[in-house]
Amino acid sequence: MERKQEIAKLVNVLRRTARMALQSEWTGASADAAAFCVDQHNRVLSRLTELDSEIANVFAPLAPGSSLTVAAMACRQLAAYYEDEAGRRDWKFYGAGFDAESFRDFWQKSAREIEDLGEYIRESIEEWARHRKGTGSRTRDQGAKTTMDLNDE
């Protein structure tokens, strides 16, 4: 495999590992998730060191007990080091991507509407939370049916 192509693939692994580490941190993953992300970072770093020995002067392997946050940060920094060589990535969401120029144009034309939407969400979040907790929703006396009522029918 060509060096540039392999670096691009390894950078992609680093980016995905960073994202997985942060998602695992947010969802309260177990220690084995942290160990996996740290090990993955160290393996990619080892391969990159084989391809580019000078990188050893800048990056060091992560300690075995490193946290998910540290693993995510290290993966992002290592990926950023090769960003010029591997190319900047376009953001992708569920297999769909968008190009930065189109987004910039959209943002210039629609920023005010997005700000309005954000303001509406901030103003409404308390009410939504009350409804979610049940303090603002209909009671059984007002005609709402519970799961138990539906099972009885």
Side-chain angles (χ1 to χ4, degrees), residues 41-138:
H41 169 273
N42 289 342
R43 286 173 184 254
V44 171
L45 177 61
S46 175
R47 180 61 185 142
L48 287 170
T49 303
E50 291 172 8
L51 297 171
D52 179 7
S53 61
E54 293 177 16
I55 197 170
N57 297 327
V58 180
F59 296 97
L62 294 175
S66 297
S67 70
L68 285 164
T69 303
V70 169
M73 290 172 25
C75 286
R76 285 184 170 182
Q77 288 178 349
L78 187 51
Y81 183 84
Y82 286 100
E83 193 170 81
D84 291 339
E85 205 167 327
R88 291 191 73 101
R89 67 168 188 202
D90 288 331
W91 289 95
K92 297 189 185 314
F93 298 99
Y94 302 104
F98 65 88
D99 114 88
E101 188 62 35
S102 296
F103 182 75
R104 187 176 302 114
D105 183 49
F106 162 77
W107 185 254
Q108 288 172 346
K109 293 176 182 174
S110 305
R112 183 64 193 151
E113 288 86 5
I114 293 173
E115 288 177 22
D116 291 343
L117 176 62
E119 186 176 329
Y120 173 75
I121 291 171
R122 282 188 296 277
E123 291 172 352
S124 302
I125 197 77
E126 189 175 326
E127 181 182 343
W128 295 341
R130 274 196 312 271
H131 282 281
R132 176 95 172 134
K133 291 178 185 175
T135 58
S137 62
R138 296 185 301 172

Side-chain angles (χ1 to χ4, degrees), residues 6-65:
E6 184 172 4
I7 288 175
K9 288 178 179 257
L10 291 169
V11 167
N12 189 38
V13 170
L14 288 168
R15 289 174 177 152
R16 289 176 187 249
T17 302
R19 187 173 63 226
M20 284 188 311
L22 288 176
Q23 288 173 344
S24 296
E25 175 89 8
W26 294 334
T27 59
S30 59
D32 59 338
F36 173 80
C37 291
V38 167
D39 185 53
Q40 193 67 18
H41 169 273
N42 289 342
R43 286 173 184 254
V44 171
L45 177 61
S46 175
R47 180 61 185 142
L48 287 170
T49 303
E50 291 172 8
L51 297 171
D52 179 7
S53 61
E54 293 177 16
I55 197 170
N57 297 327
V58 180
F59 296 97
L62 294 175

